[in-house]
């Protein structure tokens, strides 16, 4: 019996990718560290709130407004800010860090969509909004424990999975000089912004995982991705003869230069 559950996802290129699910232990470690970071931010907010409150209580009126009314407004603003810090912490980190928060990065896990694509802001926001429901009476814990795909309520509704980070995806992608030179030519030939952030993430994911793929699967995926993005960019002819891998490396480098 395997120690960790796995899930197999078929990509649009008809290649099956296997991911190891994070497991309740890794998720608990990540959540504990994230709540520690989040709690630090909320404590900072509480200190600022208390300071303002003490100063206001020392005044009878502020701009002819009773201090009690100002106190209510400050409290309401602090509550709204606390809510956005709580939601924004998970949503923004998972969007910017490709499905990871500081806690998830430490635990070496990340969030992906059910189709294997990187998590984006809508999914991250929905997961974050539903987190309080998962935390009530440990509902999320039991959902992860009893579900074959180890999903909490937020994962079910957002269409996401939490998986272990593939060791081969660590580190920066090294783009050869020839691919960089081709990337410069591509920037002059096409509007590279026709590629969406999801397209860039797909190229990045392939370049990071290709060493772990079989030669047949690697050739199939790289060829299909190269054809897809060549058509998407309306690129009738390539600037020079190259392999599909080199073309994808050039696209990756060119997109980064565009920022």
């Amino acid at each position: 019996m395997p120690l960790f559950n796995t899930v197999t996802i078929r990509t649009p290129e008809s290649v099956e990718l296997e991911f190891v699910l994070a497991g309740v232990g890794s998720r608990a470690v990540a959540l504990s560290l994230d709540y520690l970071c989040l709690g630090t931010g909320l404590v900072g907010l509480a200190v600022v709130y208390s300071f303002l409150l003490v100063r206001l209580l020392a005044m009878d009126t502020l701009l002819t407004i009773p201090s009690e009314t100002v106190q209510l407004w400050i409290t309401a603003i602090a509550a709204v800010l606390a809510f956005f810090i709580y939601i924004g912490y998970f949503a923004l980190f998972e969007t910017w860090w490709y499905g990871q928060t500081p806690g998830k990065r430490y635990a070496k896990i990340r969030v992906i969509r059910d189709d294997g694509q990187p998590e984006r802001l809508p999914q991250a926001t929905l997961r974050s909004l539903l987190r309080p429901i998962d935390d009530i009476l440990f509902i999320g814990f039991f959902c992860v424990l009893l579900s074959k795909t180890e999903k909490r309520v937020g994962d079910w509704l957002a269409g996401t999975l939490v998986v272990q980070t593939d060791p081969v995806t660590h580190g920066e992608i090294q783009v050869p000089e020839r691919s960089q030179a081709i990337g410069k030519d591509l920037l002059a030939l096409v509007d590279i912004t026709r590629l969406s952030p999801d397209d860039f993430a797909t190229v990045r994911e392939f370049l990071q995982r290709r060493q772990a793929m079989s030669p047949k699967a690697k050739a199939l995926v790289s060829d299909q991705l190269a054809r897809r993005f060549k058509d998407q960019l309306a690129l009738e002819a390539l600037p020079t003869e190259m392999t599909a891998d080199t073309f994808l490396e050039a696209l990756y480098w060119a997109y980064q230069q565009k920022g």
Side-chain angles (χ1 to χ4, degrees):
M1 187 174 180
L3 184 60
F4 296 104
N5 291 330
T6 61
V7 61
T8 301
I9 297 174
R10 182 178 291 273
T11 70
E13 291 76 31
S14 299
V15 174
E16 291 187 346
L17 298 177
E18 186 177 69
F19 295 90
V20 178
L21 295 174
V24 69
S26 297
R27 295 179 71 160
V29 170
L31 187 60
S32 298
L33 290 174
D34 282 329
Y35 274 160
L36 182 62
C37 295
L38 184 59
T40 302
L42 292 176
V43 167
L45 177 63
V47 170
V48 174
Y49 164 75
S50 300
F51 174 78
L52 291 176
L53 203 57
V54 169
R55 295 296 299 270
L56 289 172
L57 290 176
M59 304 178 186
D60 293 331
T61 61
L62 182 65
L63 298 178
T64 71
I65 302 175
S67 59
E68 291 80 3
T69 302
V70 176
Q71 178 182 346
L72 289 175
W73 276 103
I74 294 295
T75 303
I77 292 172
V80 171
L81 285 176
F83 172 79
F84 279 108
I85 289 174
Y86 180 85
I87 300 300
Y89 174 88
F90 293 99
L92 295 180
F93 268 120
E94 288 182 5
T95 301
W96 288 339
W97 283 6
Y98 295 95
Q100 289 187 310
T101 58
K104 289 184 176 67
R105 179 165 290 189
Y106 176 84
K108 295 182 174 57
I109 62 177
R110 66 189 178 107
V111 184
I112 60 173
R113 300 202 305 246
D114 284 341
D115 59 3
Q117 295 295 313
E119 181 190 28
R120 304 303 299 169
L121 183 59
Q123 294 84 33
T125 302
L126 185 55
R127 293 182 81 252
S128 190
L129 287 170
L130 292 170
R131 184 172 296 280
I133 296 177
D134 282 306
D135 289 345
I136 296 173
L137 299 177
F138 299 100
I139 291 176
F141 171 81
F142 289 110
C143 287
V144 171
L145 200 61
L146 301 176
S147 168
K148 289 184 178 180
T149 52
E150 299 182 358
K151 290 189 173 193
R152 63 178 178 85
V153 174
D155 290 316
W156 285 111
L157 296 181
T160 56
L161 293 163
V162 183
V163 299
Q164 292 187 14
T165 303
D166 191 336
V168 303
T169 64
H170 288 311
E172 294 184 1
I173 297 171
Q174 300 298 322
V175 180
E177 291 185 5
R178 181 168 183 269
S179 298
Q180 294 183 28
I182 295 173
K184 293 178 182 178
D185 293 336
L186 290 176
L187 287 173
L189 287 174
V190 298
D191 180 11
I192 204 72
T193 58
R194 288 187 178 183
L195 296 181
S196 69
D198 278 352
D199 293 331
F200 172 73
T202 298
V203 174
R204 178 178 181 270
E205 187 81 5
F206 167 74
L207 294 177
Q208 289 178 322
R209 296 178 64 91
R210 58 183 170 174
Q211 297 302 323
M213 301 172 70
S214 67
K216 183 178 180 180
K218 175 185 172 183
L220 175 63
V221 175
S222 62
D223 182 66
Q224 291 190 359
L225 286 177
R227 291 175 183 274
R228 166 183 160 189
F229 294 128
K230 180 175 178 289
D231 293 340
Q232 187 170 327
L233 293 170
L235 190 60
E236 296 182 1
L238 297 175
T240 184
E241 186 176 349
M242 68 189 79
T243 64
D245 270 26
T246 300
F247 177 65
L248 294 174
E249 289 171 347
L251 279 184
Y252 173 83
W253 183 88
Y255 190 93
Q256 283 191 314
Q257 301 311 302
K258 272 292 185 181

